[in-house]
Amino acid sequence: MIQYFIRRILLMIPTFLGSTLLIFVILQLTPGGPLEQTIQRLQMGNMSGGEISGATGDMMTGGSSILPESALKELNRFYGFDKPIWQRYLIWLGVWPREIRHRDLTFEPGETTLNKYVGYGTYLNLERRENDLMITDESGAVPSDWKGRIDKIKDDGTVEAVIYQTEFSGILTGNLGTSYTYAQPVTEVMAPRFKISIFYGLSGLILMYLICIPLGIKKALNHGTPFDFVSSVIVFVGYSIPGWALGGVLLVLFGGGSFWDIFPLGGFRSPMEIWETLSWWQKILDQLHHAILPIIAWTIGSFATMTTLMKNSLLENLSQDYIRTAFAKGLSEKRVVWVHAMRNSLIPIAARIGQNIGVIISGSYFIERVFNIDGFGKMGYQAILDRDYPITLGFLVIVVLIRLIGNILSDLALATVDPRIRFK
Amino acid sequence: MKWPKFFKKHIDDSEEISLSIYRKRWQKFKTMKRGYYSFVILIILYIISFFLPFLINNRALVVKYEDQLYFPVIQGYIEGTTFGQDVPGETNYRLLKQTWEESDSPNWLILPPYPYSPYEDITVEGNKMFDPPNSEHWLGTDNTGRDVFARLCYAFNISISFALVLTVLNYIIGILIGGSMGYFGGKFDLFFQRIIEIWSSMPILYVIIILVSIMKPSFLLLIGIYTIVNWISMTYLMRAEFYREKAKDYVAAALSMGQSDFKVMFKHILPNSLVPVITFFPFAVVMGILALVGLDYLGFGMPPPTPSWGQMLDVGLSNITKWWMVFAPVTAQFLTLLCIVFIGEGVREAFDPKVYSRLR
């Protein structure tokens, strides 16, 4: 069993690499990327604050004529677009050295040596030999941390070169890059938002299980009764209205628009100025007050599926022969239902834990947008609008990881509930 | 009169044998009242929705003006001056009708039963922004003065069409790839299994949003993108079906008679593995509609000004006091999906031979 899970976790690696590669390629090969966006923004200046999202590939050619070449190079380097895509992927993963601290050099025609101050009290001697760049420090030794290359030899004999340091930093080292829009490391942007989404997601998930399992059991035991029928209506509503749309309806009803003014219109908590003045129990109340509607929306997400699953699975088990045997042995109905049938009925429920965890995150961009909660999903959605690639990629990586871990969790839960399962 | 069981069996046999399994299932489905009536209602509404331009439109069906007949619904744009109306651009038929009726003119025109178009916005005289529901605009108007009821009805057709085309495409891909995976097995199977594993670990809707945000969405492109990302579930289902069926004797028999792989797959195995395909269909349609509503809500769906439920919801939720902008699309979507879910439930029951027997 432990062996099986170790193998499962190891198998996660190729899947993870495969999906990140796919995501990376999709994002990098598409036009209208961050580079073009920035160029466009610089061109337009303050001309219009409006539609930037329409950036297309042909903006690039128009851009280079207005922007100086050096600025374009700077941008290219900043976004890493001066490298082939496979290198960019490996750099992003953190297994290929990333170039940092670029220093530009220019050799005048005929000039072959340069002395350059690179900061940290260090001067480097640079010597050009045809297409190579030799770097030596003041003592004449070759420095270990600085590398260099010739960028371009111009027609008039001027040579442009660059020296840089390298480091391994990528998602494998926990560096998801720096967000273009927040100008903050991606991990720092994500952490507080992730907490918010997890708070809602987990509350929704727990509540969902607390409602669905007993309801499903009661429906199965009272199959065909008025109770079953009435609760089926609720289940059908759950099937036909996605959680976020229901959230919207609740917001219109109770958010103080045209009907009742019971709940706030959105947000995670009251604004900071008010929040600071509250005592601890007022804080709890305030949090709950803001959380009730979103949590209902989150709960409804997989409510219908899970209730039906629970009901059908219990019904199916109750019609099995071993239940007949248990009854025949003279066991009480309570014991038969709650001990014999229940354990087997929970198997499909347990198997779906992973999927439900995935739903929490994937459903979150709708609900967070409806309720204007500054959470993980909304961040991911906003990142697409802003073409903020580090955040988009980081978001995808985290979601993929959560799903992969969710799958393993499902298997673990399955193994706990079902002793027949021998993973081979 | 109550026949003994033995006799009853013989009497019924003659009828029952002649019925194919699908006929039997259809008859069983008909007995599921909820599902059957939902099916009938939905089909009728969907067919009607193709004739919406004749029912809900701001262009008149027929205009008789100075002994000449015009058919604006079919002919399209006709300038107001043609009918002696002093408006810039297109004729305002509602106004025209009013003027003619008031002046006892010999000219006449027939408007569609609901004389508002889904695209006619505030630029047309007499239209207001966020007009609450009233006798003229049954469900009010939206942020640009377009009639909500008209847009709701047109969006119904688009949503269902989208989901249907999407599901059929997914099925074709699923049956082709999944079938081959299950039937041929080996490296082909392994290769696609890995791909499926990778695809299924990705947040599908998010990938779609990324793709749509880059390209200009249109009906077909949206379907294309959605198909590219969403073919997995059906493929996996078909793989399992083909894999199971392949081991059965009738396949071996067909193969030993020299049938080609293609024929075995599509003539022999496919009809035997249709049960999950059919029972899954309504739910796949539900998913398609929900996906479209979601994408439209996020602004990554059909290009504006295409009528769509999601876009209306977006307007409604950003103008929370305009309750009809939220209730109308949610109700429309809810009723539509409810019908499909009922159908799905009926179909599932009709195809499922399992009858739950309960002790006590």
Side-chain angles (χ1 to χ4, degrees):
Chain A
M1 178 100 147
I2 289 169
Q3 239 185 2
Y4 171 81
F5 280 105
I6 290 174
R7 214 168 45 212
R8 272 303 299 270
I9 289 167
L10 287 181
L11 270 179
M12 257 172 73
I13 296 170
T15 315
F16 179 76
L17 289 181
S19 30
T20 48
L21 181 64
L22 201 62
I23 291 163
F24 195 82
V25 170
I26 290 175
L27 273 183
Q28 299 278 323
L29 289 188
T30 46
L35 181 62
E36 287 149 44
Q37 285 248 319
T38 317
I39 291 171
Q40 205 182 9
R41 231 174 275 168
L42 287 176
Q43 270 180 9
M44 295 205 183
N46 297 330
M47 263 158 53
S48 73
E51 296 276 310
I52 301 177
S53 57
T56 45
D58 46 51
M59 286 311 295
M60 278 220 45
T61 42
S64 44
S65 61
I66 297 173
L67 276 180
E69 210 178 316
S70 61
L72 198 66
K73 197 166 82 180
E74 196 76 19
L75 281 172
N76 253 324
R77 199 178 278 157
F78 180 71
Y79 289 118
F81 282 104
D82 53 346
K83 299 264 179 307
I85 187 157
W86 60 271
Q87 258 182 38
R88 259 182 275 158
Y89 175 66
L90 293 180
I91 290 172
W92 177 70
L93 269 185
V95 296
W96 191 274
R98 183 190 292 273
E99 296 174 7
I100 49 167
R101 300 197 190 94
H102 292 86
R103 301 279 187 276
D104 278 316
L105 306 166
T106 316
F107 291 94
E108 295 302 324
E111 198 179 19
T112 52
T113 50
L114 263 183
N115 190 276
K116 175 95 179 167
Y117 179 65
V118 292
Y120 317 102
T122 323
Y123 285 91
L124 290 181
N125 293 315
L126 301 147
E127 196 185 345
R128 179 173 76 88
R129 289 181 191 164
E130 290 308 313
N131 287 328
D132 275 330
L133 196 66
M134 296 295 292
I135 307 168
T136 43
D137 60 17
E138 282 153 318
S139 60
V142 177
S144 56
D145 48 349
W146 286 95
K147 293 193 175 60
R149 65 160 183 268
I150 307 272
D151 253 2
K152 196 190 242 175
I153 304 178
K154 284 188 180 167
D155 294 339
D156 60 356
T158 323
V159 176
E160 284 180 3
V162 62
I163 52 171
Y164 52 86
Q165 284 187 313
T166 55
E167 66 173 12
F168 289 93
S169 68
I171 47 173
L172 296 182
T173 60
N175 177 4
L176 291 173
T178 308
S179 157
Y180 306 155
T181 40
Y182 299 88
Q184 243 181 336
V186 171
T187 34
E188 269 173 46
V189 179
M190 278 181 175
R193 294 179 171 80
F194 193 65
K195 270 184 219 153
I196 293 177
S197 290
I198 283 292
F199 164 75
Y200 280 121
L202 278 186
S203 325
L205 189 71
I206 292 167
L207 208 65
M208 197 260 298
Y209 274 106
L210 284 181
I211 296 172
C212 289
I213 294 180
L215 186 66
I217 294 170
K218 198 155 165 52
K219 273 169 74 68
L221 294 180
N222 300 313
H223 183 54
T225 60
F227 172 81
D228 185 31
F229 182 78
V230 171
S231 54
S232 287
V233 174
I234 303 170
V235 169
F236 279 124
V237 173
Y239 263 128
S240 328
I241 298 188
W244 60 270
L246 186 80
V249 171
L250 291 175
L251 207 55
V252 171
L253 281 178
F254 303 113
S258 341
F259 300 92
W260 300 278
D261 188 4
I262 302 175
F263 293 109
L265 261 180
F268 182 56
R269 300 169 169 160
S270 294
M272 227 33 190
E273 310 91 74
I274 305 173
W275 177 258
E276 295 290 336
T277 62
L278 300 177
S279 60
W280 65 270
W281 59 269
Q282 277 174 319
K283 279 186 182 171
I284 293 177
L285 278 182
D286 181 75
Q287 186 78 78
L288 275 179
H289 192 215
H290 280 80
I292 285 177
L293 291 186
I295 285 181
I296 292 176
W298 244 289
T299 310
I300 218 79
S302 21
F303 160 80
T305 333
M306 294 307 283
T307 309
T308 325
L309 195 66
M310 183 70 228
K311 181 195 168 186
N312 287 346
S313 138
L314 184 58
L315 266 184
E316 199 175 329
N317 271 301
L318 285 175
S319 64
Q320 298 282 319
D321 284 341
Y322 72 88
I323 296 295
R324 197 187 303 265
T325 315
F327 274 121
K329 283 199 305 186
L331 292 177
S332 71
E333 176 160 358
K334 251 190 190 150
R335 199 176 155 74
V336 172
V337 170
W338 292 100
V339 178
H340 292 237
M342 190 55 65
R343 191 155 175 192
N344 284 322
S345 312
L346 283 177
I347 292 171
I349 301 276
R352 283 190 66 115
I353 283 187
Q355 223 174 329
N356 284 332
I357 290 176
V359 168
I360 291 177
I361 299 296
S362 60
S364 61
Y365 23 83
F366 290 108
I367 300 176
E368 281 168 11
R369 184 156 178 241
V370 169
F371 290 100
N372 197 18
I373 298 163
D374 204 5
F376 195 60
K378 197 172 168 229
M379 176 202 71
Y381 166 76
Q382 195 59 43
I384 295 183
L385 289 180
D386 299 339
R387 301 283 149 82
D388 193 336
Y389 281 17
I391 291 210
T392 312
L393 276 167
F395 180 83
L396 280 164
V397 167
I398 302 272
V399 173
V400 168
L401 261 184
I402 289 174
R403 288 188 173 221
L404 289 174
I405 293 170
N407 285 347
I408 293 184
L409 266 183
S410 278
D411 283 352
L412 256 179
L414 209 58
T416 332
V417 184
D418 191 350
R420 285 171 305 185
I421 292 176
R422 299 269 177 278
F423 290 109
K424 276 278 165 352
Chain B
M1 187 167 149
K2 205 176 171 195
W3 290 93
K5 215 177 177 182
F6 174 75
F7 286 110
K8 194 168 164 31
K9 189 167 178 273
H10 277 263
I11 290 161
D12 288 352
D13 255 5
S14 53
E15 280 175 48
E16 267 178 29
I17 284 173
S18 65
L19 288 179
S20 77
I21 179 85
Y22 283 98
R23 283 287 292 278
K24 266 192 213 163
R25 281 166 177 165
W26 172 244
Q27 302 220 315
K28 176 112 186 270
F29 178 69
K30 271 182 160 174
T31 64
M32 315 277 158
K33 291 285 172 256
R34 249 188 341 207
Y36 180 65
Y37 288 125
S38 300
F39 183 69
V40 172
I41 291 170
L42 208 63
I43 292 277
I44 291 174
L45 284 181
Y46 185 54
I47 292 171
I48 289 176
S49 74
F50 280 99
F51 299 98
L52 275 178
F54 297 96
L55 299 171
I56 299 177
N57 207 334
N58 58 346
R59 287 180 180 150
L61 298 172
V62 190
V63 180
K64 176 139 185 288
Y65 182 66
E66 290 176 352
D67 293 328
Q68 208 181 336
L69 283 178
Y70 297 87
F71 299 95
V73 172
I74 300 159
Q75 283 170 299
Y77 181 88
I78 299 178
E79 245 176 84
T81 45
T82 320
F83 303 117
Q85 192 182 32
D86 186 24
V87 287
E90 198 179 356
T91 322
N92 186 336
Y93 294 98
R94 293 191 301 272
L95 207 68
L96 193 63
K97 183 171 182 167
Q98 214 182 338
T99 2
W100 283 352
E101 272 172 9
E102 278 169 7
S103 62
D104 265 338
S105 143
N107 307 314
W108 51 265
L109 62 95
I110 302 173
L111 285 173
Y114 192 82
Y116 295 94
S117 128
Y119 304 111
E120 177 197 340
D121 57 16
I122 194 132
T123 52
V124 176
E125 205 190 314
N127 285 351
K128 272 185 288 181
M129 265 162 71
F130 289 127
D131 208 0
N134 54 48
S135 57
E136 275 173 21
H137 298 285
W138 292 354
L139 293 173
T141 59
D142 73 357
N143 56 339
T144 54
R146 296 175 296 200
D147 186 89
V148 173
F149 179 72
R151 289 178 70 74
L152 210 66
C153 295
Y154 279 87
F156 170 79
N157 179 282
I158 293 170
S159 300
I160 303 243
S161 307
F162 177 83
L164 280 180
V165 175
L166 188 73
T167 314
V168 169
L169 268 180
N170 270 340
Y171 270 39
I172 292 173
I173 294 179
I175 288 171
L176 281 179
I177 296 183
S180 313
M181 281 171 75
Y183 184 78
F184 295 113
K187 286 210 174 100
F188 183 79
D189 185 28
L190 273 179
F191 175 72
F192 271 98
Q193 263 189 11
R194 289 288 88 74
I195 288 189
I196 287 178
E197 207 169 288
I198 288 171
W199 265 133
S200 57
S201 70
M202 298 223 286
I204 285 173
L205 213 56
Y206 197 70
V207 177
I208 295 175
I209 293 174
I210 292 177
L211 291 176
V212 173
S213 76
I214 290 154
M215 299 174 235
K216 258 205 184 118
S218 69
F219 185 81
L220 286 179
L221 185 76
L222 210 58
I223 284 183
I225 290 175
Y226 206 94
T227 315
I228 291 171
V229 243
N230 204 36
W231 52 279
I232 303 152
S233 52
M234 200 58 218
T235 307
Y236 217 65
L237 211 66
M238 286 322 289
R239 176 183 173 270
E241 268 316 295
F242 271 62
Y243 191 74
R244 206 178 54 218
E245 292 294 320
K246 186 192 163 192
K248 290 197 175 158
D249 285 344
Y250 73 88
V251 175
L255 280 174
S256 67
M257 283 169 68
Q259 297 270 24
S260 68
D261 282 337
F262 184 83
K263 267 203 162 164
V264 172
M265 279 174 73
F266 294 103
K267 205 177 148 205
H268 296 279
I269 299 185
L270 187 60
N272 281 303
S273 41
L274 278 181
V275 171
V277 172
I278 295 172
T279 48
F280 190 63
F281 195 89
F283 298 99
V285 173
V286 167
M287 275 185 250
I289 293 179
L290 283 181
L292 183 66
V293 173
L295 285 175
D296 280 335
Y297 169 65
L298 293 180
F300 290 116
M302 298 288 176
T306 316
S308 90
W309 295 335
Q311 181 265 338
M312 281 184 226
L313 255 174
D314 186 22
V315 174
L317 286 176
S318 29
N319 300 282
I320 208 84
T321 48
K322 315 290 185 270
W323 50 272
W324 61 93
M325 287 300 302
V326 173
F327 287 172
V330 169
T331 314
Q333 177 203 330
F334 168 62
L335 291 178
T336 311
L337 294 190
L338 194 65
C339 278
I340 305 177
V341 169
F342 280 156
I343 296 171
E345 179 209 38
V347 169
R348 187 169 277 178
E349 214 138 306
F351 276 75
D352 193 359
K354 234 181 296 171
V355 178
Y356 293 124
S357 63
R358 275 270 283 126
L359 281 162
R360 300 190 201 180

